[in-house]
């Protein structure tokens, strides 16, 4: 996606044939299984399946151009002598300009590649950055507490 691009619900003309947009986004969702680099972008575009506009279609086409230009890239898992599992988690407070909800996510890697990742828009509006980072991650509570 373009850096700092904020897609909104009703910012452009609605699409006449939204079925093609939904098929394109569905295909991109399937592609995220082997392409974790597009997960965030596809997640943002997929939020507008019911009210898609021309700017949303342009963003989806940009993802396709990225995939076309990076066909030779992929995940490579090399054998390591020492097993080291590392993780990272973060959240953006009120990052969605449409409903002010936060998005939280995590990724875990072993050796040279990511083995698990998730990005999810939170169900409720967080009142602080601390609440945004801790409210939707029960596995983090368990590891911190006990």
């Amino acid at each position: 996606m373009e850096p700092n691009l904020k897609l909104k619900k009703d910012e452009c003309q609605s699409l006449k044939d939204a079925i093609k947009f939904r098929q394109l986004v569905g295909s991109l969702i399937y592609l995220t299984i082997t392409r974790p680099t597009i997960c965030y972008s596809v997640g943002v575009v997929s939020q507008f399946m019911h009210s898609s506009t021309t700017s949303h279609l342009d963003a989806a086409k940009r993802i396709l151009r990225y995939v076309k230009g990076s066909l030779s890239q992929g995940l490579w898992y090399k054998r390591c002598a020492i097993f080291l599992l590392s993780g990272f988690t973060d959240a953006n407070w009120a990052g969605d300009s449409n409903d002010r909800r936060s998005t939280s996510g995590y990724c875990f890697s072993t050796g040279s590649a990511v083995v698990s990742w998730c990005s999810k828009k939170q169900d409720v509006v967080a009142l602080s950055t601390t609440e945004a980072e801790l409210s939707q991650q029960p596995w983090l509570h368990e590891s911190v507490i006990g």
Side-chain angles (χ1 to χ4, degrees):
M1 288 187 72
E2 290 181 39
N4 302 320
L5 176 67
K6 296 286 185 181
L7 296 175
K8 297 184 180 178
K9 286 186 179 181
D10 300 321
E11 63 183 350
C12 293
Q13 181 181 2
S14 295
L15 292 176
K16 293 178 183 177
D17 186 16
I19 294 173
K20 296 283 186 190
F21 176 77
R22 292 179 189 142
Q23 290 174 340
L24 171 60
V25 174
S27 299
L28 288 172
I29 290 171
Y30 182 73
L31 190 59
T32 61
I33 295 169
T34 58
R35 298 294 206 123
T37 56
I38 64 170
C39 285
Y40 173 76
S41 302
V42 172
V44 170
V45 171
S46 68
Q47 294 177 18
F48 303 101
M49 297 278 267
H50 291 85
S51 59
S52 52
T53 64
T54 55
S55 64
H56 304 140
L57 181 60
D58 292 342
K61 287 180 179 179
R62 185 176 174 99
I63 297 169
L64 280 179
R65 286 193 296 273
Y66 169 78
V67 170
K68 182 181 177 183
S70 62
L71 290 176
S72 63
Q73 297 178 355
L75 295 177
W76 183 53
Y77 297 97
K78 67 179 184 176
R79 186 179 178 123
C80 298
I82 300 173
F83 179 79
L84 178 64
L85 180 67
S86 59
F88 175 78
T89 182
D90 198 10
N92 68 341
W93 178 48
D96 191 336
S97 59
N98 292 316
D99 57 11
R100 306 306 296 165
R101 291 188 187 172
S102 304
T103 303
S104 57
Y106 65 84
C107 68
F108 289 97
S109 62
T110 176
S112 63
V114 175
V115 293
S116 177
W117 62 88
C118 177
S119 176
K120 181 182 177 191
K121 186 190 270 190
Q122 296 181 0
D123 298 329
V124 296
V125 177
L127 300 177
S128 68
T129 57
T130 304
E131 184 180 359
E133 291 183 1
L134 293 177
S135 66
Q136 295 295 318
Q137 299 172 3
W139 56 270
L140 184 61
H141 292 291
E142 293 170 6
S143 64
V144 171
I145 295 172

